[in-house]
Amino acid sequence: MARNKYDIDESLETEFSFEQLKRLGTYIKPHRKEMIITILIMMLSSALGMLTPIILKNIMDDYIPNKNIRGVVFISIALLIINLVIVINLRIKISITTKLGQSIIHEIRSDIFNHLQELPFSYYDDRPHGKIQVRVVNYVNSLSDLLSNGIVNTITDLFSLIFIVAFMLFLNIRLTLICLCGLPLLMILIFVIKKRQRVAWQISSNKSSNLNAYIAESINGIRVTQSFVRERENIEIFNNLSSNYSSAWMNAVKYNFLLWPAIDNISTLTTAAIYVLGVAWIDQGISSITVGVLIAFTGYIGRFWAPINTLASFYNSLLTAISYLERIFETIDEPVLVKDIEGATTMPDIKGKVEFKDVTFSYDEDAMILNGIDFTANVGESYAIVGPTGAGKSTIINLISRFYNIDSGQILIDGVDINTVTIKSLRKQMGVMLQDSFIFSGTIMDNIRYGNREASNEEVIRAAKTVCAHDFIMGLENGYDTEVNERGSRLSAGQRQLISFARALLADPKILILDEATSSIDTETEILLQEGLAKLLKNRTSFIIAHRLSTIKNSSCIMYIDGGQIMEMGTHDELMAKKGYYHELYMSQYSFLNDDEIKVEESIF
């Protein structure tokens, strides 16, 4: 798919609507008490600030002409107190809005992360993980300023604007109308750039997503990069993606920077007009305009355009945030394709009988992966699945755990359709070890206990001994308390697989699923491992995909899969006697050995 590449821009599948802003409001609603308190505090500060030009008018028109020094001192003290109250209110506002913004950010990020935990494998198969990560971290962080200050400042400035216009009208209607003449010009500019600005920020977010995706991919593949001396080529790709992001960002902020210079220019023009006309009207002896009125009015002009500038900044922030909100809500709205059906019941204690009845499955409509799979694995049986690459082996075991939904047919465990039970109750009774032996950052003990959080230290150690991991673990500097890095980079591939094996076994499952579980383990260790597994597999139904066919020759049944169908199935001896697909695959693996050497190899296992 196109969006599965770092150099392809993502496309939104839904158009933006103001319903998404309302949806953002649902995160703000629980904090409305703090929001209201903050707004009231700022409105008080705004109202107090409106008094200053009126006070200056009285000083210019009354106190100074009448040489009322005592009155000037009194007014000065009052102005000092007013400014102190405004400063204290601003400090309270900053404290409340910072906590408020971060609380909302945390809630949005939690919703995204929680939803990501429920999305099926297919979601992660379709897109680079870096493009997912950028939404959880960068895009949500980009909303911080909008939520912390933008909303409160906007509401406060709207009320301030009302107060200012009221005071200006009180002082002089003519001058007020002159001041308001600049607003239509500003509205026209906003209308012209609105659509272009939103598109520009969408493009910027796409380029940021591409860059983040490539960085994540490069870090994960750094060993391959250095092994094949690809550093220079990777740097060129990075520089190209970074340059594209830089250009897109500069183009987007260009529209942001159009507003405040426009506001400053309009403000300057209207102020100049008021000075010119105001002075002319004073000379003409118009009684309603005095020096004090003109000074007070010019004081209000600055206050009039300041909140408009803030509103324009909020508008810019809003358009920027919209491009991120679209991505955030798109992620949260991503359908959970694999989920509990309505009325799903808890899976009873599993005994281990597994049935596939005419199961078909495809990742997309154009590529059928499994077509009419039928088999029954009885309790305690071990089923090995072999076949060429891409035949559908891993798909079968993924369907048993309901990592994907089947297209048609049924999968039954102990006669219960797994589609009718809760996913959690199903997977809790399975032990799964996939090809990717993922190790989390933390201690060895924590990684093994990941499959059973209630397990004691003794049970963890017992599981490690069963899979022959105990000796190498005790050879580490702190034994089971040794800290390992993300993805277990300090451990060898074989060691990571042994830990993952212990993790799966510790869950004490009735159904055990092993996908290439021994592919990175040396032959000597695998011999010991097979001895430990012989006891473990007893009375457990197991499904095994193994690279070395000699390791599965004792399985209860071996299925050869090709083209999404079971081409043949039976025991090792039965299939070898048929001299069919399995026989050909088995012999090709040992074509370099003579008959005596094959017997020696087989006798090991």
Side-chain angles (χ1 to χ4, degrees), residues 9-72:
D9 291 344
E10 296 175 285
S11 60
L12 283 171
E13 298 179 3
T14 57
E15 290 294 326
F16 176 80
S17 70
F18 280 96
E19 291 298 319
Q20 289 174 302
L21 288 179
K22 291 182 181 178
R23 190 170 175 181
L24 179 62
T26 61
Y27 288 95
I28 299 171
K29 189 175 180 180
H31 305 278
R32 58 184 178 275
K33 181 179 178 181
E34 296 94 324
M35 190 80 75
I36 292 172
I37 291 173
T38 307
I39 290 172
L40 291 175
I41 289 173
M42 293 309 296
M43 285 177 62
L44 173 61
S45 297
S46 178
L48 290 173
M50 296 303 105
L51 297 176
T52 302
I54 293 292
I55 292 172
L56 291 175
K57 170 188 175 298
N58 292 332
I59 291 176
M60 296 297 296
D61 287 345
D62 298 326
Y63 290 17
I64 292 179
N66 296 324
K67 298 182 180 180
N68 187 351
I69 304 301
R70 185 175 178 182
V72 171

Side-chain angles (χ1 to χ4, degrees), residues 76-96:
S76 299
I77 294 173
L79 285 174
L80 177 61
I81 294 172
I82 288 173
N83 287 329
L84 285 175
V85 172
I86 292 174
V87 169
I88 293 171
N89 286 347
L90 182 61
R91 177 67 180 86
I92 296 172
K93 174 253 184 184
I94 292 173
S95 177
I96 294 176

Side-chain angles (χ1 to χ4, degrees), residues 42-250:
M42 293 309 296
M43 285 177 62
L44 173 61
S45 297
S46 178
L48 290 173
M50 296 303 105
L51 297 176
T52 302
I54 293 292
I55 292 172
L56 291 175
K57 170 188 175 298
N58 292 332
I59 291 176
M60 296 297 296
D61 287 345
D62 298 326
Y63 290 17
I64 292 179
N66 296 324
K67 298 182 180 180
N68 187 351
I69 304 301
R70 185 175 178 182
V72 171
V73 172
F74 176 80
I75 290 296
S76 299
I77 294 173
L79 285 174
L80 177 61
I81 294 172
I82 288 173
N83 287 329
L84 285 175
V85 172
I86 292 174
V87 169
I88 293 171
N89 286 347
L90 182 61
R91 177 67 180 86
I92 296 172
K93 174 253 184 184
I94 292 173
S95 177
I96 294 176
T97 54
T98 301
K99 292 178 182 178
L100 179 66
Q102 288 306 306
S103 295
I104 297 172
I105 289 296
H106 170 72
E107 290 162 13
I108 295 174
R109 184 176 288 120
S110 293
D111 281 353
I112 298 179
F113 186 79
N114 292 344
H115 191 66
L116 288 173
Q117 303 304 295
E118 299 178 356
L119 291 176
F121 285 2
S122 56
Y123 177 80
Y124 299 95
D125 294 338
D126 288 346
R127 48 187 53 76
H129 295 174
K131 291 193 176 185
I132 301 173
Q133 180 179 329
V134 74
R135 299 185 181 206
V136 182
V137 182
N138 300 46
Y139 290 178
V140 177
N141 283 346
S142 297
L143 301 177
S144 179
D145 186 61
L146 175 72
L147 296 171
S148 296
N149 297 301
I151 295 174
V152 170
N153 288 347
T154 298
I155 295 174
T156 302
D157 286 337
L158 281 172
F159 282 103
S160 296
L161 205 54
I162 294 172
F163 292 152
I164 292 167
V165 172
F167 276 100
M168 289 168 66
L169 288 170
F170 172 76
L171 283 173
N172 192 276
I173 296 176
R174 286 187 182 184
L175 297 178
T176 303
L177 293 176
I178 295 171
C179 183
L180 295 177
C181 284
L183 287 180
L185 296 175
L186 183 61
M187 293 300 104
I188 292 172
L189 177 63
I190 290 174
F191 180 79
V192 168
I193 70 172
K194 180 180 72 171
K195 186 175 181 179
R196 295 179 182 177
Q197 190 174 5
R198 180 194 170 217
V199 171
W201 279 111
Q202 282 183 337
I203 294 173
S204 176
S205 70
N206 282 338
K207 302 307 179 184
S208 171
S209 180
N210 293 346
L211 179 61
N212 199 78
Y214 186 70
I215 291 172
E217 179 181 295
S218 298
I219 292 173
N220 289 332
I222 191 64
R223 287 176 173 79
V224 177
T225 294
Q226 294 183 356
S227 298
F228 287 90
V229 198
R230 278 272 307 185
E231 294 91 341
R232 183 176 295 277
E233 290 87 343
N234 286 8
I235 291 172
E236 290 178 0
I237 295 173
F238 171 83
N239 287 338
N240 183 51
L241 292 171
S242 181
S243 176
N244 289 340
Y245 171 56
S246 177
S247 298
W249 188 86
M250 290 298 294

Side-chain angles (χ1 to χ4, degrees), residues 386-451:
V386 301
T389 300
K393 303 186 296 297
S394 295
T395 301
I396 289 177
I397 62 174
N398 283 333
L399 294 180
I400 296 173
S401 299
R402 271 202 74 193
F403 290 132
Y404 301 92
N405 285 326
I406 60 176
D407 296 340
S408 63
Q410 277 187 310
I411 300 176
L412 309 176
I413 295 181
D414 299 337
V416 179
D417 189 337
I418 64 172
N419 191 51
T420 64
V421 299
T422 62
I423 294 174
K424 184 177 181 181
S425 66
L426 173 68
R427 293 177 184 167
K428 281 186 69 175
Q429 300 189 63
M430 293 185 178
V432 181
M433 181 179 172
L434 303 176
Q435 285 176 294
D436 183 13
S437 303
F438 196 93
I439 302 298
F440 297 90
S441 57
T443 66
I444 298 287
M445 181 73 73
D446 288 339
N447 267 281
I448 297 176
R449 192 181 276 124
Y450 196 87

Side-chain angles (χ1 to χ4, degrees), residues 446-569:
D446 288 339
N447 267 281
I448 297 176
R449 192 181 276 124
Y450 196 87
N452 182 359
R453 306 304 295 177
E454 306 300 322
S456 64
N457 290 353
E458 291 74 18
E459 290 172 323
V460 171
I461 294 172
R462 191 181 307 122
K465 287 181 176 179
T466 301
V467 300
C468 305
H470 178 73
D471 290 342
F472 95 77
I473 292 173
M474 293 306 296
L476 300 174
E477 62 266 28
N478 295 314
Y480 286 86
D481 293 323
T482 300
E483 294 280 344
V484 291
N485 301 330
E486 180 185 357
R487 301 191 70 89
S489 58
R490 295 182 56 196
L491 305 172
S492 69
Q495 289 172 334
R496 292 197 297 271
Q497 281 195 314
L498 289 175
I499 290 174
S500 297
F501 217 161
R503 176 196 298 161
L505 303 186
L506 188 62
D508 192 24
K510 289 298 182 182
I511 296 178
L512 187 62
I513 296 174
L514 310 175
D515 186 354
E516 296 287 3
T518 60
S519 61
S520 297
I521 300 173
D522 59 83
T523 303
E524 182 179 353
T525 302
E526 188 168 9
I527 295 172
L528 296 174
L529 182 59
Q530 292 290 336
E531 294 175 359
L533 288 179
K535 295 181 180 178
L536 179 72
L537 296 179
K538 189 176 182 180
N539 298 324
R540 299 178 195 273
T541 306
S542 58
F543 294 87
I544 306 167
I545 298 175
H547 176 69
R548 287 200 286 266
L549 298 182
S550 57
T551 64
I552 54 142
K553 67 185 185 66
N554 293 323
S555 298
S556 305
C557 182
I558 299 172
M559 293 189 297
Y560 185 95
I561 307 292
D562 194 10
Q565 295 180 320
I566 301 175
M567 306 306 293
E568 57 184 22
M569 60 189 300

